Amino acid sequence: LPYISQLSYTDRLLLLIGAALLCTVTFASFFLISGILVGSGLTDSTTKDPRLSPELRKMGLSDQELLLRGGGKRIVVGPHKLDSEENAVALDIIKILDCDGLQEEMEREWNTVLDAKRVAKEDSERWQKEEEQWNSNNRRRRLQMELDSVQDAMEFDMEQQEEESNGDMMDDFMGEPGEFGFGDFGGGSGYYEDNTQLTLTAHHLFCLAAEGITLPKSTTVEESDPSIHCDIDNFQTRESLLNLWSSARAQVSEDIIKKTLDLVTEHKETLRGHDVHMWYPKGDQGSEGMLRVLNSAFDGSLIYNFDSEPAEDGQHDDLYRFWDLPSQFVGENKLFVDVGSALGFTSMLMAYMYPRTTIVSIEPASPSWLIQNINFRCNLSEEQRSYVHPILAGVGTKHHDDNDSMMKMVWKPSMTTATRNWNIERDFDFAKDIELTVHLRTLRAILAEATPEDLPLGTPISVLNLDCEGCEYNLIPSMHETSFKSIRLILGRTNWGFIPLNKKPSSERAEDTHKRLCTHYNFAKRCKECCDFPTLPVRPRLQSTPEESITEEADMGFGDVEFEDQTDNSSIPSESTVADVAGSLCDGFGAWAEENNLHDVPDDYGWNEMSAYVRVGSR
């Protein structure tokens, strides 16, 4: 340093440059060594994303780049660590559903909810003060009126009558003290319901299962935290949801998955005494109607024969008797097939009421199939789910070796029980409704895939639920006569009278379908199509003693099943034909048949048309 003053200007400049280079090399070496230490996991990992392994950090990429590459995030749920396949599925959920963006959106909505709750609380306190003031003024007013009446004794009777009249009118307007709540000032008790609750959809459910989001917390002790009843903290439930995602991604398009999950929310319901939390779209009239039917006549409930049709005479017409099936139709090694299972409510009821019954739940609409799987996983135990086999497929017209065809259908979140190929075009809601291309398969192939290996080979269908918006015209004619007769009980209805003319199947196909189905009491009693066969023998209505009904069926030529406890076969039920069972239902059948072209459709061209719509003005 003493010699710096003796150096020339050029030497000083060179010295300065050398010092700068030395500092640059020093800092570069420091950062290089730090990076090596971080990549080797030798530094404190608390400042880095703990979900990235040291091996991955050796790649020299940033945390963000490693996460974007996939496979870098190691998800741990409590004491459990997801295996490699589940981890990959969880990462796919986070990516496809944009769980990071959902977290930000949910936090904004939660802040809005907190603001709405604060405003609601302030309004409630203000209204309460106004109520107290109103009641106080009312009490003073009544006291003054009583004092006035005492001072003027001569007009006491007249004033007394007037006061009673005014008091009644004021009571009618104001209500009794303490009854004047904020709902009376406007808005009603549900005025703030939508604004003071955080809406959690199935979108949130899957992000929670993938550890992609965290639900917000309440700011006060009085308020409960936002939550989902589906127990995703249970590792088995979480695993089943991850497996469902993997299955859905293999069978359903990404757009349909995201649109469906955004529409579906959780609802607290009951299934004949079983508390459940059903997932279905808000305002879904189909689900609400199905719940009415399944809970029909239970614990004081009304009797419903259809979703919006209470029984006029207070009697059930046998179309739906899932809660009262004879014991030999259900249980171990018995097969229940639900064709057109919608969101899985019927299959769930069967699982609750008849343990160990093998249930095959067939649904053609991918959104409904996805939702019913969520319902199964969030409400049924692992053992119960082992007997329920949901299949995404429609039942086609082909049989034997022809197992692949297609049909266009429309799924409506406002009516999830009515997925069909004969929709009014002008009723299509482009914002919510989804047009689907449905894969049609034979019932034989579906059952071969769905039934578990431990079910005895060739086990016949014990109960067939057939409520599938017209698919009966595909399924029933394609069944072998022996297979059809082996079905002990068929529930459901026919749809010929609802299908527009240019979408009807052929009259020949209809005749084959109706003639078979109408041998079952349920159909002969309720379906007008059965009146086309007035002398057709009908299986007897199920009796309280199951063996009697089965014996009568065998005696009438409907089966050869033997039971240990056989009863007297000499008596044939009085209601033995369609005419006997249907009764007044068949009044005016000729005009009905002509109006609905029951015998006039020559072919299946309209039925098989690759369109899900019936255009306005066409028949």
Side-chain angles (χ1 to χ4, degrees):
L1 292 178
Y3 297 101
I4 291 179
S5 60
Q6 302 177 9
L7 297 177
S8 65
Y9 176 77
T10 302
D11 292 336
R12 292 178 184 178
L13 180 61
L14 291 174
L15 182 61
L16 181 62
I17 293 173
L21 290 174
L22 179 62
C23 291
T24 302
V25 171
T26 301
F27 278 109
S29 301
F30 173 78
F31 285 116
L32 177 62
I33 294 172
S34 298
I36 294 174
L37 293 176
V38 169
S40 303
L42 300 178
T43 59
D44 184 11
S45 61
T46 58
T47 60
K48 296 295 183 178
D49 192 328
R51 296 168 295 185
L52 294 173
S53 65
E55 291 77 12
L56 288 168
R57 294 188 185 281
K58 291 179 182 179
M59 298 176 66
L61 300 175
S62 66
D63 290 2
Q64 183 179 5
E65 289 296 326
L66 288 174
L67 292 175
L68 289 176
R69 291 172 66 91
K73 185 176 180 180
R74 297 292 184 262
I75 299 176
V76 178
V77 182
H80 301 281
K81 182 178 180 180
L82 299 183
D83 63 30
S84 58
E85 183 176 351
E86 293 167 343
N87 198 83
V89 171
L91 289 172
D92 189 63
I93 291 175
I94 294 172
K95 176 183 177 182
I96 298 301
L97 296 184
D98 187 18
C99 295
D100 293 335
L102 181 64
Q103 180 74 55
E104 297 177 359
E105 179 183 348
M106 180 174 58
E107 290 174 356
R108 289 195 298 270
E109 291 178 355
W110 181 240
N111 290 330
T112 302
V113 167
L114 293 178
D115 291 340
K117 287 184 176 182
R118 177 180 54 79
V119 172
K121 183 178 180 180
E122 293 174 354
D123 288 346
S124 178
E125 293 174 351
R126 175 172 57 84
W127 289 334
Q128 186 176 2
K129 291 180 181 179
E130 292 179 1
E131 174 189 356
E132 293 174 353
Q133 183 65 33
W134 192 290
N135 293 331
S136 177
N137 292 338
N138 183 41
R139 286 192 293 270
R140 288 197 298 269
R141 175 180 172 276
R142 291 185 176 183
L143 179 60
Q144 184 62 44
M145 293 170 69
E146 291 178 3
L147 291 174
D148 291 342
S149 65
V150 171
Q151 293 174 0
D152 195 354
M154 293 181 62
E155 299 178 358
F156 176 79
D157 293 337
M158 182 182 299
E159 290 184 5
Q160 181 68 21
Q161 294 176 1
E162 182 180 355
E163 292 307 317
E164 290 176 356
S165 176
N166 290 338
D168 291 341
M169 293 175 61
M170 189 62 65
D171 288 343
D172 292 339
F173 174 68
M174 296 192 324
E176 293 298 323
E179 293 180 353
F180 206 37
F182 63 84
D184 299 299
F185 281 91
S189 60
Y191 182 70
Y192 288 96
E193 180 178 354
D194 294 335
N195 294 327
T196 58
Q197 298 295 329
L198 182 63
T199 300
L200 299 177
T201 67
H203 188 166
H204 296 83
L205 175 67
F206 275 94
C207 283
L208 286 168
E211 287 289 300
I213 62 173
T214 303
L215 293 180
K217 300 293 184 180
S218 296
T219 56
T220 61
V221 178
E222 296 80 10
E223 297 289 344
S224 58
D225 295 333
S227 63
I228 286 178
H229 188 272
C230 186
D231 188 11
I232 57 171
D233 291 332
N234 182 296
F235 195 72
Q236 293 177 341
T237 302
R238 189 184 296 259
E239 278 186 318
S240 68
L241 288 171
L242 295 177
N243 292 335
L244 171 58
W245 177 267
S246 181
S247 178
R249 290 279 278 137
Q251 303 180 72
V252 186
S253 72
E254 181 180 317
D255 289 341
I256 290 179
I257 291 176
K258 292 193 291 187
K259 190 171 184 178
T260 302
L261 297 182
D262 284 334
L263 289 170
V264 180
T265 55
E266 196 176 37
H267 306 260
K268 184 177 181 180
E269 306 285 357
T270 60
L271 275 179
R272 304 195 77 79
H274 299 273
D275 291 332
V276 292
H277 288 76
M278 297 296 202
W279 291 83
Y280 59 84
K282 185 177 181 180
D284 177 11
Q285 299 177 36
S287 291
E288 293 168 358
M290 179 55 68
L291 287 169
R292 285 194 293 267
V293 170
L294 295 178
N295 288 314
S296 178
F298 178 79
D299 197 21
S301 301
L302 293 177
I303 298 176
Y304 280 86
N305 291 325
F306 289 107
D307 52 9
S308 59
E309 180 186 324
E312 295 180 359
D313 56 358
Q315 296 295 321
H316 208 284
D317 65 7
D318 275 0
L319 275 179
Y320 300 91
R321 288 187 64 186
F322 307 112
W323 55 88
D324 190 26
L325 297 175
S327 58
Q328 59 264 61
F329 290 173
V330 290
E332 191 170 8
N333 294 335
K334 297 298 188 299
L335 180 59
F336 175 89
V337 178
D338 191 3
V339 181
S341 53
L343 306 190
F345 296 174
T346 301
S347 296
M348 283 179 57
L349 180 63
M350 292 293 297
Y352 282 131
M353 301 202 67
Y354 309 108
R356 305 180 70 84
T357 300
T358 299
I359 301 167
V360 177
S361 178
I362 305 172
E363 172 54 37
S366 53
S368 291
W369 171 85
L370 177 58
I371 299 170
Q372 75 168 238
N373 274 277
I374 295 175
N375 282 325
F376 294 156
R377 285 159 171 77
C378 290
N379 290 281
L380 300 179
S381 67
E382 185 176 14
E383 180 183 2
Q384 288 171 325
R385 291 200 307 270
S386 67
Y387 290 93
V388 181
H389 308 278
I391 298 293
L392 175 58
V395 181
T397 58
K398 300 294 194 294
H399 53 90
H400 301 307
D401 56 340
D402 297 321
N403 188 38
D404 286 296
S405 55
M406 60 173 283
M407 180 174 283
K408 293 284 188 178
M409 295 184 182
V410 169
W411 181 81
K412 302 176 75 66
S414 60
M415 186 63 72
T416 56
T417 55
T419 300
R420 55 198 183 201
N421 73 326
W422 40 278
N423 305 273
I424 304 300
E425 190 173 25
R426 66 184 178 188
D427 293 340
F428 184 81
D429 185 344
F430 287 90
K432 294 183 178 180
D433 297 349
I434 302 175
E435 183 175 1
L436 305 168
T437 300
V438 175
H439 181 199
L440 301 183
R441 302 173 58 191
T442 66
L443 182 62
R444 182 192 298 267
I446 293 172
L447 294 180
E449 173 187 337
T451 51
E453 295 182 358
D454 56 349
L455 194 68
L457 185 64
T459 299
I461 300 173
S462 298
V463 181
L464 174 65
N465 182 35
L466 197 62
D467 189 5
C468 54
E469 302 298 316
C471 84
E472 64 269 16
Y473 299 109
N474 291 341
L475 170 60
I476 300 302
S478 66
M479 295 187 71
H480 191 278
E481 185 69 17
T482 302
S483 298
F484 179 80
K485 285 188 174 181
S486 68
I487 304 174
R488 304 311 305 170
L489 177 64
I490 303 181
L491 306 173
R493 65 177 181 180
T494 51
N495 291 274
W496 183 270
F498 301 102
I499 304 174
L501 175 59
N502 69 341
K503 292 295 291 184
K504 289 183 185 292
S506 67
S507 295
E508 180 182 1
R509 179 178 296 279
E511 181 179 1
D512 292 343
T513 302
H514 299 154
K515 195 169 185 177
R516 282 184 165 185
L517 290 177
C518 291
T519 59
H520 286 259
Y521 185 94
N522 312 60
F523 288 85
K525 179 71 175 178
R526 196 64 172 80
C527 299
K528 206 173 186 71
E529 294 89 336
C530 295
C531 297
D532 204 23
F533 317 100
T535 61
L536 183 70
V538 178
R539 298 189 183 203
R541 183 174 183 170
L542 294 176
Q543 306 296 321
S544 57
T545 305
E547 290 80 8
E548 294 179 2
S549 294
I550 300 300
T551 302
E552 289 167 355
E553 290 183 18
D555 203 33
M556 296 176 67
F558 290 114
D560 300 319
V561 180
E562 294 183 359
F563 295 91
E564 295 180 3
D565 185 13
Q566 298 289 338
T567 57
D568 185 13
N569 299 339
S570 59
S571 61
I572 300 297
S574 59
E575 296 180 332
S576 58
T577 65
V578 168
D580 296 328
V581 174
S584 61
L585 177 68
C586 293
D587 294 346
F589 171 74
W592 180 91
E594 183 177 356
E595 179 184 356
N596 290 278
N597 304 97
L598 184 61
H599 306 115
D600 304 331
V601 183
D603 49 50
D604 289 328
Y605 275 87
W607 181 244
N608 290 325
E609 180 189 8
M610 291 303 170
S611 171
Y613 305 103
V614 179
R615 291 172 177 79
V616 177
S618 61
R619 292 192 62 200

